[in-house]
Amino acid sequence: MALTQVYGIIGSPVGHTLSPIMHNTAFKELGLNCVYHAFDVRRENAERAIKGVLALGFGGLNVTIPLKELALHYVNPDAWSRRIGSINTIDSKGNGYNTDGVGAVRALKEAGVKVKDSSVLMFGAGGAAKSISAELLTEGARVLVANRTKSRAVILADRMVRENISCGCGDIEPLGLDEVNSVIGEAQVLINTTSVGMHGVAEGQTLVRAEQMHKDLVVFDIVYNPLETELLKEARKAGCMTIEGVKVLVYQGAASFKIWTGLDAPIPSMESAVRAALRG
Ligand code: ATR
């Protein structure tokens, strides 16, 4: 009998991740003999975990907070993830990819948001932020990167210019969180890529409140648990259009699924399974 092919996600904390429900739903629907588990792996164990997974013959792996940048060193990154400096997907041969950015831009476009020529205020400068900002720049958006540690936002912006992802004409601007009030008025889109608001980490917290927003702002939180984060509650109060993190979870997951299996993922079933789990 054929062995069950194992897939997984590594990161910490991963206790509340819904990637297993999402991918196991997809495997079941397509009749694949595969299973997906979450593994709590801290930074000091990342290298051994990735090498172990490859040695064990896993079908593929997702990488999440706080390993997206670190994991790049233990795989053969494709040209794009090497340029942006982070991965969220590893295949069975140890190749690394990043599907966060395409997932986020797909969610924005599906919601009818015009990405080209819009100003996007992005919170965070970690692995997810790198991928999403790179994709936004490629689509012709201007990105204002606001991070708690401003020096990290500067490093991200410098990288985008150095790698020619930014045209170097001021299309990416690093900021501290204390500078948000002075730029939020000119933004058409706000994206949170930090873990602020996430269940089990910083639930109930937000980096901006309704009073700071304007009603034409589209507010997108990549945190998907809870379904309605504090940021999205504030955005609704301000009359803004909102996009839930579930969308980016499903779209980045579908892109990873395609890399691993070569198959189109059953997106509606994956999204329904995640929403049902979030509703409890
Ligand atoms: P990922 O790879 O998933 O993006 P990460 O690299 O650990 O994860 O990045 C997490 C991001 O969330 C960072 O931008 C971090 O800000 P710092 O660079 O200052 O650490 C941001 N972040 C996490 N907790 C935060 C908090 N309580 N307030 C503001 N920003 C926070």
Side-chain angles (χ1 to χ4, degrees):
M1 207 173 98
L3 287 176
T4 301
Q5 184 80 78
V6 181
Y7 293 80
I9 181 164
I10 60 168
S12 189
V14 284
H16 300 289
T17 176
L18 296 180
S19 289
I21 287 175
M22 178 174 77
H23 283 292
N24 285 325
T25 298
F27 291 143
K28 193 169 171 202
E29 178 151 332
L30 297 187
L32 303 175
N33 182 18
C34 303
V35 66
Y36 186 111
H37 289 291
F39 301 92
D40 198 300
V41 174
R42 293 204 300 266
R43 293 179 64 87
E44 61 269 30
N45 292 321
E47 180 173 9
R48 283 186 298 147
I50 291 169
K51 288 185 174 159
V53 154
L54 294 174
L56 287 168
F58 274 38
L61 204 61
N62 280 130
V63 179
T64 190
I65 287 179
L67 308 177
K68 288 180 181 180
E69 292 164 287
L70 181 64
L72 188 85
H73 304 294
Y74 313 129
V75 300
N76 305 313
D78 71 350
W80 183 238
S81 56
R82 189 190 301 274
R83 282 171 77 198
I84 63 179
S86 93
I87 59 162
N88 75 337
T89 304
I90 305 174
D91 69 13
S92 60
K93 298 187 181 71
N95 299 310
Y97 310 85
N98 200 316
T99 66
D100 285 330
V102 282
V105 168
R106 182 170 177 183
L108 282 169
K109 287 186 174 171
E110 189 202 62
V113 177
K114 190 176 138 295
V115 177
K116 188 170 163 38
D117 295 328
S118 57
S119 287
V120 180
L121 173 58
M122 187 185 73
F123 289 137
K130 280 179 169 170
S131 178
I132 293 171
S133 56
E135 212 66 41
L136 288 168
L137 288 166
T138 305
E139 293 281 334
R142 175 167 174 251
V143 185
L144 307 161
V145 188
N147 199 44
R148 176 176 61 181
T149 313
K150 183 174 176 180
S151 57
R152 252 184 122 187
V154 172
I155 290 168
L156 186 154
D158 286 350
R159 180 177 199 110
M160 295 300 146
V161 174
R162 197 174 64 239
E163 294 292 338
N164 283 323
I165 298 169
S166 155
C167 67
C169 55
D171 56 357
I172 185 157
E173 197 180 322
L175 304 160
L177 290 179
D178 55 340
E179 294 168 277
V180 163
N181 272 339
S182 57
V183 296
I184 195 167
E186 66 190 77
Q188 284 89 47
V189 181
L190 186 157
I191 303 183
N192 174 48
T193 74
T194 76
S195 47
V196 175
M198 190 187 286
H199 180 64
V201 181
E203 189 165 355
Q205 295 179 29
T206 174
L207 295 174
V208 271
R209 293 280 170 197
E211 310 79 75
Q212 297 164 268
M213 301 175 189
H214 58 87
K215 68 171 178 28
D216 297 324
L217 191 65
V218 175
V219 180
F220 181 12
D221 200 339
I222 76 160
V223 173
Y224 63 84
N225 189 358
L227 207 42
E228 186 174 61
T229 59
E230 193 66 17
L231 173 67
L232 296 185
K233 280 185 194 159
E234 291 292 313
R236 274 193 234 276
K237 268 193 230 163
C240 302
M241 180 182 146
T242 58
I243 305 174
E244 295 163 335
V246 166
K247 288 289 177 188
V248 70
L249 172 71
V250 171
Y251 292 148
Q252 63 78 31
S256 299
F257 191 91
K258 178 95 181 177
I259 287 168
W260 296 329
T261 65
L263 302 172
D264 288 330
I267 288 174
S269 311
M270 290 159 78
E271 184 170 342
S272 301
V274 170
R275 286 186 183 279
L278 286 169
R279 283 193 297 266

